[in-house]
Amino acid sequence: MYTDMFKAFSEQTEKTLAPYVKFNKLVAKNVETLTELQLSAVKTYSEMGLAQVKAASEVTDVTSMTAYSSQQLAALTKLSQQMMDDSTKLQSLAKEFKDDLEKLTADNLKAATPA
């Protein structure tokens, strides 16, 4: 008797908490992907910055200063492109999260609404 009661309670609780579990998994996946994106960006920007510091430290005369100055435009272009790529990735991640959240909401609404 008690076994059936606990089993029914457990099933009801699991059914009630299922949307929360799905939402938490969705948020965790989004945070994980966002963290990976941010770590990758930090690594890339750090490498670019260190390369520029090294290049600046090698300036010893007017000729090397001219070469360094002309290289700055290429570095700036590369940085700009990297920032645009990261922005695109971030927008894509946000859109995917929004779409998944809308789908989860629609599924939960459909399950909660009596037919």
Side-chain angles (χ1 to χ4, degrees), residues 16-27:
T16 302
L17 296 178
Y20 298 111
V21 171
K22 289 177 184 177
F23 175 76
N24 287 338
K25 286 182 180 181
L26 181 63
V27 170

Side-chain angles (χ1 to χ4, degrees), residues 12-66:
Q12 185 65 30
T13 303
E14 188 175 315
K15 191 176 185 182
T16 302
L17 296 178
Y20 298 111
V21 171
K22 289 177 184 177
F23 175 76
N24 287 338
K25 286 182 180 181
L26 181 63
V27 170
K29 178 185 148 223
N30 190 57
V31 168
E32 180 182 11
T33 307
L34 184 60
T35 302
E36 289 172 4
L37 177 67
Q38 289 175 334
L39 287 174
S40 174
V42 166
K43 182 178 184 231
T44 301
Y45 297 138
S46 297
E47 289 172 353
M48 292 171 105
L50 285 173
Q52 291 307 305
V53 169
K54 287 179 183 177
S57 69
E58 294 174 4
V59 173
T60 56
D61 57 5
V62 175
T63 307
S64 60
M65 179 64 161
T66 305

Side-chain angles (χ1 to χ4, degrees), residues 46-115:
S46 297
E47 289 172 353
M48 292 171 105
L50 285 173
Q52 291 307 305
V53 169
K54 287 179 183 177
S57 69
E58 294 174 4
V59 173
T60 56
D61 57 5
V62 175
T63 307
S64 60
M65 179 64 161
T66 305
Y68 173 74
S69 296
S70 65
Q71 182 230 3
Q72 289 300 296
L73 182 59
L76 206 57
T77 303
K78 183 179 177 185
L79 176 65
S80 176
Q81 184 61 46
Q82 181 66 39
M83 291 177 78
M84 287 174 38
D85 291 346
D86 288 342
S87 175
T88 302
K89 289 176 188 174
L90 189 59
Q91 288 174 354
S92 174
L93 178 65
K95 184 182 180 323
E96 181 182 339
F97 180 70
K98 180 184 115 0
D99 292 345
D100 290 346
L101 194 58
E102 285 177 350
K103 182 181 181 303
L104 180 66
T105 304
D107 291 347
N108 288 335
L109 191 60
K110 196 181 297 181
T113 305

